């Protein structure tokens, strides 16, 4: 069709996890995976991806 997709803006967001859940195996695995993700088309992974800011 000849359509070109162009990004309009870069959007940054945070994921909030309840303190009561932070030590659950599934949450730990999620944090491990997002902190080691490689480049993905259309995404910019920030250096601090996967960091915990407060406990």
């Amino acid at each position: 069709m000849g359509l070109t997709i162009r990004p309009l803006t870069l959007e940054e967001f945070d994921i909030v996890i309840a303190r009561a859940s932070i030590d659950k195996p599934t949450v730990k695995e999620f944090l491990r995976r997002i902190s080691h993700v490689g480049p993905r088309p259309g995404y910019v992974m920030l250096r601090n991806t996967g960091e915990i800011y407060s406990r």
Side-chain angles (χ1 to χ4, degrees):
M1 293 181 122
L3 297 176
T4 302
I5 298 173
R6 295 186 183 144
L8 299 176
T9 185
L10 178 63
E11 191 169 343
E12 185 177 332
F13 63 93
D14 294 322
I15 297 172
V16 178
I17 300 169
R19 284 187 177 137
S21 300
I22 200 74
D23 290 322
K24 290 183 177 182
T26 52
V27 174
K28 286 183 176 185
E29 178 64 13
F30 172 74
L31 292 173
R32 186 190 70 77
R33 286 183 184 219
I34 65 168
S35 63
H36 292 95
V37 120
R40 298 279 190 256
Y43 293 89
V44 176
M45 299 305 284
L46 302 176
R47 288 186 322 242
N48 61 348
T49 297
E51 281 186 19
I52 297 173
Y53 289 102
S54 176
R55 278 197 176 251

